[in-house]
């Protein structure tokens, strides 16, 4: 697998000219994408990338889903992510790529680490409203003009200040998107609980494992971080808390309604370590499995 640690090598792979600045590059998508290889095996890009994609034609495929939208998408990727493509669909917009060294000593580095959307998967793109798209387009245009006009002498403080505004708006726009998802007919927390109920639909049979955030996210075709942010926006809790509460409820049912000993209950629910199960149960419920069982006998 090819690994790209600098923009020059990455641009060469994409059949693009050298970047105007050694640590950052800005491209107009409709001008640069026709140069890209039509397909690519997996490559690892150790750079930050932010893409504003708009003016789509037809259905656009991201992950396992297809989208048809007249508005733009905003996508974020962080270093070490692996990408590949089979074919390219042309779009308008901007792509801003920068090396980690560009922000290493700048306050914006803290925000980049703080915002989880850099670790979202492509299918968790930020869908912009027309007003949001107009705002982001203006900011990308200013970044592009500063970099292309002054090249290696571009004012980094100006560009990083504009980048900071892009990141702040993206956080706000994602919060809006989370709220809209939460108002759908079936809430995201209900979908999580439905998957947990399916996993534990027959308590007379032992399960092989305890559901994880990753396994639930995969079932919902979401990235783990995006799922957790959706759940937190809706319930104030994270996904792992929902999972732990559900599993503890199933444990309490078995402790109160069956004659299984604590080890058998743990095994039935997917635990392979009884002491860990006991600690888990007490942390969630506030009492030990033995105390619950004794309450049932009372």
């Amino acid at each position: 697998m090819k690994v790209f640690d600098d923009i020059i090598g990455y641009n060469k792979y994409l059949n693009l000219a050298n970047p105007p600045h050694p640590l950052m590059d800005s491209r107009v998508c409709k001008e640069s994408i026709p140069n890209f290889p039509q397909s690519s095996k997996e490559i690892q890009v150790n750079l930050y990338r932010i893409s504003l994609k708009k003016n789509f034609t037809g259905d656009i495929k991201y992950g396992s889903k297809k989208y048809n939208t007249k508005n733009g998408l905003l996508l974020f990727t962080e270093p070490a992510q692996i990408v590949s493509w089979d074919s390219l669909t042309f779009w308008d917009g901007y792509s801003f790529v920068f090396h980690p060294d560009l922000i290493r000593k700048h306050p914006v580095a803290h925000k980049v680490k703080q915002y989880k959307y850099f670790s979202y998967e492509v299918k968790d793109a930020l869908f912009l409203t027309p007003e949001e798209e107009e705002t982001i387009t203006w900011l990308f245009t200013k970044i592009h003009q500063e970099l292309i006009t002054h090249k290696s002498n571009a004012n980094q403080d100006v560009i990083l200040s504009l980048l900071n505004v892009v990141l702040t708006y993206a956080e706000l726009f994602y919060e809006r998107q989370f709220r809209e998802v939460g108002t759908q007919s079936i809430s995201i927390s209900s979908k999580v609980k439905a998957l947990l109920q399916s996993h534990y639909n027959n308590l007379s049979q032992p399960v092989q494992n305890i559901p994880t955030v990753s396994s639930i996210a995969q079932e919902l075709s979401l990235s783990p971080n995006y799922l957790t942010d959706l759940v937190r926006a809706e319930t104030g809790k994270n996904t792992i808390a929902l999972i732990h509460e559900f599993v503890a409820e199933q444990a309490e049912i078995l402790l109160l309604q069956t004659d299984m000993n604590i080890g058998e209950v743990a095994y039935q629910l997917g635990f392979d370590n009884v002491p860990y199960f006991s600690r888990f149960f007490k942390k969630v419920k506030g009492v030990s499995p033995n105390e619950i069982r004794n309450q049932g006998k009372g």
Side-chain angles (χ1 to χ4, degrees):
M1 181 174 64
K2 293 185 177 181
V3 178
F4 298 98
D5 295 316
D6 60 75
I7 303 176
I8 292 176
Y10 181 50
N11 279 14
K12 185 176 180 181
Y13 182 76
L14 298 177
N15 299 317
L16 299 177
N18 285 343
H21 189 285
L23 296 180
M24 53 183 161
D25 193 10
S26 175
R27 298 282 167 170
V28 177
C29 294
K30 65 182 179 182
E31 296 175 358
S32 60
I33 289 177
N35 298 307
F36 286 16
Q38 280 299 303
S39 62
S40 173
K41 296 181 179 179
E42 289 188 340
I43 60 173
Q44 180 176 313
V45 184
N46 294 325
L47 304 165
Y48 286 101
R49 290 167 294 157
I50 308 175
S51 299
L52 171 63
K53 302 184 179 184
K54 58 182 187 175
N55 297 335
F56 291 116
T57 55
D59 292 332
I60 309 301
K61 186 175 182 182
Y62 285 109
S64 60
K65 295 183 178 181
K66 284 187 176 181
Y67 301 98
N68 191 312
T69 176
K70 295 180 181 178
N71 300 330
L73 301 178
L74 200 55
L75 302 172
F76 300 84
T77 54
E78 62 186 353
Q81 287 193 347
I82 296 173
V83 297
S84 64
W85 59 88
D86 296 323
S87 61
L88 287 173
T89 302
F90 294 90
W91 59 79
D92 197 357
Y94 289 98
S95 176
F96 181 60
V97 180
F98 60 96
H99 193 280
D101 285 349
L102 179 69
I103 62 171
R104 198 174 303 279
K105 296 180 180 181
H106 194 277
V108 77
H110 176 70
K111 284 199 171 182
V112 169
K113 293 179 180 179
Q114 173 186 353
Y115 295 143
K116 294 181 181 178
Y117 48 71
F118 273 98
S119 62
Y120 290 169
E121 295 179 11
V122 176
K123 56 180 175 285
D124 305 321
L126 172 57
F127 285 74
L128 301 169
T129 67
E131 294 78 13
E132 292 169 354
E133 181 182 326
E134 183 178 351
T135 298
I136 296 298
T137 299
W138 185 88
L139 290 165
F140 268 90
T141 301
K142 291 301 180 184
I143 291 173
H144 185 76
Q145 289 175 344
E146 175 64 27
L147 185 54
I148 299 304
T149 301
H150 301 289
K151 297 181 171 56
S152 60
N153 294 320
N155 190 311
Q156 293 188 29
D157 286 336
V158 169
I159 290 177
L160 291 179
S161 294
L162 290 165
L163 174 62
N164 182 46
V165 178
V166 170
L167 299 181
T168 303
Y169 269 125
E171 179 77 355
L172 292 173
F173 298 161
Y174 259 118
E175 290 177 1
R176 183 268 307 158
Q177 184 164 297
F178 295 152
R179 290 194 299 271
E180 290 178 355
V181 172
T183 60
Q184 293 176 357
S185 56
I186 302 177
S187 68
I188 194 68
S189 60
S190 296
K191 291 179 180 179
V192 171
K193 290 175 182 177
L195 288 173
L196 292 170
Q197 287 167 351
S198 176
H199 191 80
Y200 290 106
N201 67 342
N202 185 0
L203 288 180
S204 66
Q205 300 280 336
V207 300
Q208 294 187 355
N209 51 60
I210 303 166
T212 64
V213 176
S214 294
S215 66
I216 294 291
Q218 186 174 9
E219 289 282 343
L220 295 173
S221 296
L222 301 170
S223 67
N225 279 338
Y226 187 73
L227 171 61
T228 292
D229 286 344
L230 282 174
V231 169
R232 183 179 287 112
E234 183 181 302
T235 68
K237 302 176 182 178
N238 57 30
T239 313
I240 195 65
L242 289 187
I243 295 172
H244 286 178
E245 288 173 3
F246 187 91
V247 174
E249 287 293 332
Q250 306 313 300
E252 185 171 358
I253 290 171
L254 292 176
L255 289 167
L256 293 174
Q257 299 181 12
T258 74
D259 293 327
M260 293 180 183
N261 62 41
I262 292 172
E264 290 170 333
V265 169
Y267 173 71
Q268 203 78 358
L269 295 175
F271 293 85
D272 55 10
N273 184 299
V274 177
Y276 172 73
F277 165 72
S278 295
R279 292 194 301 271
F280 161 85
F281 187 88
K282 186 166 186 177
K283 182 178 180 180
V284 177
K285 288 291 186 179
V287 293
S288 70
N290 272 324
E291 289 174 306
I292 286 289
R293 170 139 287 173
N294 290 335
Q295 288 176 15
K297 291 179 181 178

